[in-house]
Amino acid sequence: MTQQLRLGLAGLGTVGTGVVKIIRSKAALLAARTGTDIIITAVSARDKTKDRGVNLSGYAWEDDPVALARRDDVDVFVELMGGTDGAARNATEAAIAAGKDVVTANKAMLAIHGQSLAKMAEDAGRLIRFEAAVAGGIPVIKALTEGLAGNEITRVIGVMNGSCNYILTRMENAGLSYEEVFAEADGLGYLEADPQLDVGGIDAAHKLAILSSIAFGTQVDFDGIELEGIERVSIEDIRHAADMGFKIKLLGVAQKTGRGLEQRMMPCLVPDTSTLGQLDGGTNMVVLEGDEVGQVMLRGAGAGMGPTASAVLSDVCDIARGVRLPTFGQPAAQLLKSTPARSVLPAPYYLRMDLMDKPGALAKVASVLGNAGVSIDRMRQYGHSEHTAPVLIVTHKTTRSALDEALAAMQGTDVLASTPVALRIENV
Ligand code: NAP
Ligand code: HSE
């Protein structure tokens, strides 16, 4: 007799309705692949009367997701409501306490409470699976946890927020300001209800924190991420970076250094001919580097109904097949607390400054950089306006602390017409 796996689905928005559609339309395929009939027994959302464009008949309704999580006819609780705390966390904990496995797409909850939830689940002998939480439809959690299990991971790097990549590429392609494209993206519904989660880099940093934990065997440490959003990226910098052969991306990077775990989510320059440089629009890309395998690049839809529901089904199918893995790839009790290291590893930097157009101005800047041990690789001076001259510098590899020393000393000269812009260049 075929087995059954009974899902309780909390959240019937973009992702939840996508999951309902797949389970209704691909029941035979899923059963063939897992040897199990995957069915939904009960659902929950805030508004029972809302027309969601999917057939919910045959499913019990619960107003309270915690009650749904505890139902006897639910084997797996699927949390698709979102939010760091509140209903999502309460219901997830209730599900584990009631002996259910959990599938979630909720990166915000895992980035903040991942360690305690993992511990709780493992103590109870339950699973928390979250393929959809990072990079939507891209199977990056599976790749990292299973496919690359034989590697020391040396670096994780990627574009993990489609909305930011859309904004940056649209600014470049249409020559529009950040403010103009932000308004456009908001109008098109591309941004989270709280857009700061996207443009402030927070959503992408949640994802990076989760990947770091699996990659480096450390406890999820969202607070350890050096975080900067895209709000201050100007069309001038996008144009100048393009002139120098670069694109600006909101880039997440995690790597171990001698001083601890470096995790950064910030606008960076990447070579325009690189695969990451060529990544346009809302697409995501994650690059995983392992000591044995080298570089693995995963590219695809980071959001949207179909891609995200596809990732949820990957977890559900694994549970149906009997795959049982610790939440972050190894038991939560073994995960080490990381020491955060901030921009320790040297890198080249892009500098843009407006200099007063007077004799010796450029020499003063060069000397301040030299005194801090920052060496210039390339420099370009653009058409002067009435009293100032925009100057672009690409440095050789330097530490962030040496650069900061130079930038502070520059403020003490009388040659700057505005605060310089400094962006890290990441070679991929
Ligand atoms: P959404 O469209 O806003 O849907 C959220 C759903 O949760 C709605 O059905 C809402 O009910 C329900 N809900 C919210 N609070 C609730 C509560 N207290 N009790 C019961 N139900 C509640 O969100 P979504 O885009 O589907 O995202 C869901 C999760 O997937 C989030 O964690 C998100 O970060 C993650 N995710 C989304 C995407 C994407 O492309 N959308 C991609 C990756 C990951 P009502 O409909 O009645 O208001
Ligand atoms: N706001 C997110 C993005 C949704 O733009 O990538 C998927 O997490």
Side-chain angles (χ1 to χ4, degrees):
M1 201 181 79
T2 322
Q3 302 181 69
Q4 262 194 353
L5 188 75
R6 300 164 303 171
L7 311 182
L9 201 61
L12 293 168
T14 306
V15 186
T17 52
V19 170
V20 172
K21 281 184 185 169
I22 295 180
I23 286 175
R24 285 217 178 260
S25 64
K26 296 191 168 65
L29 180 76
L30 296 172
R33 286 187 174 156
T34 62
T36 302
D37 282 332
I38 296 171
I39 59 166
I40 297 171
T41 45
V43 295
S44 176
R46 278 178 299 218
D47 181 355
K48 190 177 178 182
T49 64
K50 201 189 268 184
D51 177 6
R52 299 170 190 279
V54 286
N55 182 0
L56 299 175
S57 63
Y59 308 155
W61 178 273
E62 292 280 0
D63 286 325
D64 178 7
V66 170
L68 176 85
R70 291 183 177 140
R71 283 176 70 103
D72 289 338
D73 60 358
V74 166
D75 303 311
V76 177
F77 175 64
V78 185
E79 187 283 303
L80 301 172
M81 296 177 286
T84 310
D85 287 283
R89 187 179 176 195
N90 294 339
T92 298
E93 290 180 350
I96 294 165
K100 325 283 182 184
D101 292 332
V102 174
V103 173
T104 179
N106 191 336
K107 58 259 175 175
M109 178 175 75
L110 291 171
I112 306 301
H113 304 299
Q115 177 64 20
S116 62
L117 288 172
K119 181 84 178 45
M120 186 181 174
E122 288 165 28
D123 287 349
R126 304 322 312 171
L127 301 177
I128 302 180
R129 304 282 310 227
F130 49 88
E131 185 63 72
V134 180
I138 303 177
V140 62
I141 302 296
K142 207 173 201 14
L144 198 51
T145 314
E146 297 176 52
L148 302 184
N151 288 259
E152 284 273 0
I153 302 298
T154 48
R155 186 166 71 151
V156 174
I157 182 163
V159 168
M160 303 174 204
N161 182 277
S163 308
C164 288
N165 205 50
Y166 168 82
I167 290 175
L168 294 173
T169 51
R170 172 93 179 124
M171 282 170 73
E172 176 168 17
N173 296 339
L176 295 170
S177 70
Y178 170 79
E179 289 73 20
E180 286 169 305
V181 178
F182 176 90
E184 201 180 88
D186 206 18
L188 289 166
Y190 287 1
L191 299 174
E192 301 271 346
D194 173 5
Q196 193 55 29
L197 288 174
D198 285 319
V199 297
I202 300 162
D203 169 80
H206 285 151
K207 297 166 183 166
L208 183 69
I210 293 169
L211 291 184
S212 285
S213 170
I214 303 170
F216 303 111
T218 48
Q219 296 181 13
V220 180
D221 181 18
F222 174 75
D223 291 335
I225 297 180
E226 206 175 340
L227 176 60
E228 189 185 321
I230 62 165
E231 305 100 314
R232 291 193 298 154
V233 175
S234 68
I235 182 65
E236 286 77 23
D237 284 315
I238 287 180
R239 284 195 186 120
H240 291 317
D243 279 359
M244 307 283 272
F246 296 105
K247 301 266 180 139
I248 300 183
K249 299 285 171 198
L250 177 67
L251 207 64
V253 181
Q255 61 197 127
K256 266 189 182 162
T257 75
R259 294 206 209 144
L261 179 62
E262 190 169 307
Q263 300 183 91
R264 286 180 268 114
M265 182 59 67
M266 55 177 59
C268 290
L269 271 62
V270 294
D272 58 8
T273 51
S274 63
T275 323
L276 273 167
Q278 301 278 311
L279 191 73
D280 271 3
T283 313
N284 281 199
M285 182 166 202
V286 185
V287 181
L288 305 171
E289 293 174 355
D291 63 345
E292 303 293 344
V293 72
Q295 223 177 38
V296 174
M297 295 189 171
L298 301 163
R299 181 183 187 281
M305 181 183 283
T308 314
S310 153
V312 171
L313 261 299
S314 158
D315 287 336
V316 169
C317 287
D318 261 4
I319 293 175
R321 287 166 167 150
V323 176
R324 309 221 41 104
L325 294 167
T327 313
F328 294 105
Q330 51 183 288
Q334 281 176 25
L335 298 172
L336 303 171
K337 238 181 175 352
S338 61
T339 308
R342 298 198 166 244
S343 290
V344 173
L345 297 175
Y349 281 83
Y350 155 99
L351 302 178
R352 175 170 66 84
M353 53 201 80
D354 280 321
L355 296 190
M356 303 305 293
D357 192 9
K358 58 184 185 184
L362 200 52
K364 277 193 187 169
V365 166
S367 131
V368 159
L369 287 168
N371 290 342
V374 180
S375 172
I376 296 171
D377 175 24
R378 285 188 281 154
M379 201 182 71
R380 193 171 283 184
Q381 185 165 341
Y382 281 79
H384 299 194
S385 55
E386 204 178 340
H387 300 296
T388 63
V391 171
L392 300 185
I393 291 175
V394 171
T395 73
H396 283 294
K397 273 190 178 181
T398 183
T399 59
R400 182 72 217 197
S401 57
L403 189 77
D404 285 343
E405 184 190 322
L407 291 171
M410 251 180 238
Q411 301 287 358
T413 66
D414 55 354
V415 300
L416 286 184
S418 60
T419 307
V421 171
L423 295 170
R424 192 178 166 103
I425 299 174
E426 203 68 52
N427 280 312
V428 276

